[in-house]
Amino acid sequence: MKKVNPLLIIMLALGVFSIITTEMGIVGVLPQITQKFNISTSQAGGLVSIFALVVAISGPFLTLLGSGINRKVILLTAVLIFTISNFVYAYTTKFEVMLAFRILPAIFHPVFFSVALETAAKLVPPEKSRKAVTKVFAGITVGFAFGVPLTSYLAEQFSLEVAFLFGAFVSAIAFVGILAWLPSMPVKEKLSYGRQLSILRKPQLWLNIVTVIFIFASMFSVYSYFAEYLGQLTHMNGSWISMMLMAFGLIMILGNFLFGGFLQKSITKTVILFPLLYMIIYLFAYYLGSYFIPMIIIVFIWGIVHSGGLIVSQTWLTTEAKEAPEFGNSLFVSFSNLGITLGTSIGGWFISQLGIHQLIWSGIIFALLAFLLIMIKIKIFSSRSKELNVTLSSLN
């Protein structure tokens, strides 16, 4: 196998980083967006929910349609769209235009993510594929750790335009790197549509999918309004909010390794534990959210638990999609974003109807639903597995 430039894997990770920065960087600048366009917080939250909704709807279908297209062409097209969209965010004066250009990159989000992971695995020898994929996947965590808070910081210290130009710059670097170092990668062996779609016949997969939706709804019904919550309830200024976003993201890196270790020991126990931990964190945020120092401590613990939702959900869903891993990844991306859409929308409703403080209960409700569904799935299918083992033993 021809030696691959190690910077290429970094460029793929940078592309994933730019996607997360473009998608979630909005969270840290919602206050500035509401001022610029003279709209409500719940309306501004629509920039998060519309992006996630489009990803949820288009992801699996476009991944299937693009499964026969040259990998390099797909990656370059997606990153170029993200570059252009960030330029539009920076300079448009109309909220409707910004909303439209949230839809366009969202279409390419799941395709880029799935193809980037697949490409990273194919660029290196088999024994190094898992490490390469891990590096590309790290672009998500680093996006939360640096992309989102840095976007917030640039908007606070300079302007909203500079913040979005940062996103365009990162995407442009990824485009140049992929163009220069990634060889042409036409698809030689393609799984049939029928073979990929066949995994959707598994009822246990659908139980896991709905669980992922609830987990992400729980996470993002509150996180999508993170800046507003800290600003209005904890009375933090813009600089403090930027620092909290940075701290939240940095601690997510620790949480990613922590929950990765838990999953190595037991997937089932870790999946059960996660929503319970989130409910506890939310209760602390509800009762201590108006206290400055306690809320800083809560943010650090919150970041650790929040990062677990990404790796726990992805592991939980893909354990039932091993026959078509790329399509399974697209399902994870799509349905996790459906969860973000649901959570952001319900969170916005809680704010508009009940006030910013009661927002926390939307996260608790979704976490409880996820926990109940996990327990139902385990009970049903563990019982079936035991029955099957008893039957096989009697036959022997």
Side-chain angles (χ1 to χ4, degrees):
M1 178 179 286
K2 186 179 178 181
K3 188 175 181 180
V4 176
N5 189 324
L7 288 175
L8 175 55
I9 300 297
I10 295 175
M11 289 300 111
L12 293 174
L14 191 64
V16 173
F17 171 86
S18 73
I19 287 176
I20 297 301
T21 300
T22 301
E23 179 181 11
M24 300 310 304
I26 292 288
V27 170
V29 296
L30 281 185
Q32 291 92 334
I33 288 175
T34 58
Q35 293 174 11
K36 178 177 179 179
F37 296 106
N38 194 27
I39 56 176
S40 67
T41 299
S42 58
Q43 284 178 302
L47 294 171
V48 180
S49 59
I50 192 67
F51 191 106
L53 179 61
V54 172
V55 171
I57 294 172
S58 66
F61 303 107
L62 285 175
T63 301
L64 283 173
L65 290 173
S67 58
I69 300 175
N70 190 302
R71 309 287 88 181
K72 183 171 183 176
V73 172
I74 288 180
L75 293 171
L76 287 175
T77 302
V79 178
L80 180 62
I81 293 298
F82 273 84
T83 305
I84 293 170
S85 297
N86 275 289
F87 270 112
V88 173
Y89 303 158
Y91 294 112
T92 186
T93 56
K94 295 184 177 180
F95 181 70
E96 294 77 11
V97 173
M98 190 171 188
L99 201 60
F101 274 85
R102 292 292 288 171
I103 295 172
L104 188 59
I107 293 172
F108 289 90
H109 176 297
V111 181
F112 182 92
F113 184 81
S114 299
V115 171
L117 292 179
E118 177 203 15
T119 301
K122 289 182 176 179
L123 286 172
V124 297
E127 66 273 13
K128 295 183 179 179
S129 63
R130 182 174 294 182
K131 187 175 181 181
V133 168
T134 301
K135 287 180 179 178
V136 174
F137 198 87
I140 296 177
T141 305
V142 178
F144 280 105
F146 296 103
V148 175
L150 189 53
T151 300
S152 173
Y153 175 80
L154 291 173
E156 176 68 24
Q157 297 298 318
F158 300 98
S159 68
L160 204 54
E161 289 74 19
V162 170
F164 289 130
L165 287 176
F166 163 70
F169 178 68
V170 171
S171 298
I173 292 176
F175 179 89
V176 172
I178 294 169
L179 178 65
W181 293 316
L182 181 65
S184 178
M185 295 185 69
V187 176
K188 296 177 182 178
E189 294 181 12
K190 175 186 169 186
L191 283 175
S192 67
Y193 293 150
R195 186 174 171 187
Q196 294 181 73
L197 290 168
S198 66
I199 65 172
L200 297 176
R201 297 173 185 167
K202 299 166 67 174
Q204 58 267 45
L205 173 65
W206 283 103
L207 282 172
N208 285 14
I209 284 173
V210 178
T211 301
V212 168
I213 292 172
F214 286 154
I215 286 175
F216 271 77
S218 174
M219 291 163 61
F220 287 90
S221 61
V222 181
Y223 178 76
S224 295
Y225 303 98
F226 185 88
E228 289 291 322
Y229 194 83
L230 294 181
Q232 294 185 33
L233 193 70
T234 317
H235 304 295
M236 291 186 180
N237 60 28
S239 297
W240 267 103
I241 291 171
S242 295
M243 284 191 288
M244 288 299 96
L245 282 165
M246 179 69 79
F248 190 95
L250 286 172
I251 205 70
M252 278 182 65
I253 298 174
L254 171 62
N256 191 57
F257 286 106
L258 185 64
F259 276 90
F262 290 159
L263 288 167
Q264 288 281 358
K265 294 178 181 178
S266 174
I267 292 175
T268 302
K269 289 180 181 178
T270 304
V271 172
I272 292 172
L273 178 67
F274 178 77
L276 294 176
L277 286 175
Y278 229 115
M279 283 188 275
I280 293 170
I281 291 298
Y282 278 154
L283 286 172
F284 275 108
Y286 181 80
Y287 288 106
L288 299 175
S290 58
Y291 298 95
F292 203 92
I293 300 301
M295 194 59 194
I296 292 175
I297 297 170
I298 290 168
V299 166
F300 276 83
I301 303 172
W302 185 358
I304 292 174
V305 178
H306 186 87
S307 68
L310 305 176
I311 191 168
V312 167
S313 298
Q314 195 263 353
T315 303
W316 188 238
L317 193 152
T318 54
T319 51
E320 300 292 352
K322 293 177 181 177
E323 302 88 342
E326 185 179 334
F327 184 55
N329 265 327
S330 74
L331 291 174
F332 165 69
V333 174
S334 293
F335 284 104
S336 61
N337 275 272
L338 180 60
I340 294 173
T341 303
L342 178 63
T344 304
S345 301
I346 297 300
W349 182 87
F350 266 77
I351 292 172
S352 63
Q353 299 298 316
L354 304 173
I356 192 74
H357 192 194
Q358 306 309 317
L359 169 68
I360 294 293
W361 291 106
S362 65
I364 292 174
I365 290 169
F366 281 121
L368 179 60
L369 289 172
F371 174 75
L372 293 174
L373 201 58
I374 290 165
M375 299 308 296
I376 289 170
K377 194 253 179 163
I378 291 171
K379 184 173 179 59
I380 291 174
F381 287 96
S382 62
S383 298
R384 287 188 182 182
S385 179
K386 289 177 182 177
E387 289 173 7
L388 179 60
N389 289 334
V390 170
T391 303
L392 290 173
S393 297
S394 62
L395 289 174
N396 292 331

